[in-house]
Amino acid sequence: MRKGYPSDIKREQFEVIRPLLESARKKTAPRKVELYEVFCAVLYLLRTGC
């Protein structure tokens, strides 16, 4: 398990928006990275400006 960052949201909060993200996905190969982790990474980039 990775360490948490201040930009992360709770999994319960993520479950509210998961259906929106899943519906936008084209059906391709199975994911190799969990969608929650990708979303938190995007939030980290937005917050830090890296």
Side-chain angles (χ1 to χ4, degrees), residues 4-46:
Y5 292 95
S7 58
D8 288 356
I9 63 173
K10 295 180 181 173
R11 288 196 181 262
E12 295 83 21
Q13 293 171 309
F14 178 73
E15 292 306 319
V16 174
I17 61 170
R18 179 188 291 275
L20 294 170
L21 296 173
E22 292 285 351
S23 68
R25 180 175 186 248
K26 294 180 179 166
K27 299 300 177 195
T28 59
R31 284 192 181 95
K32 295 182 181 181
V33 180
E34 188 178 349
L35 189 56
Y36 172 78
E37 298 297 333
V38 174
F39 189 76
C40 286
V42 170
L43 292 178
Y44 175 83
L45 291 172
L46 291 171

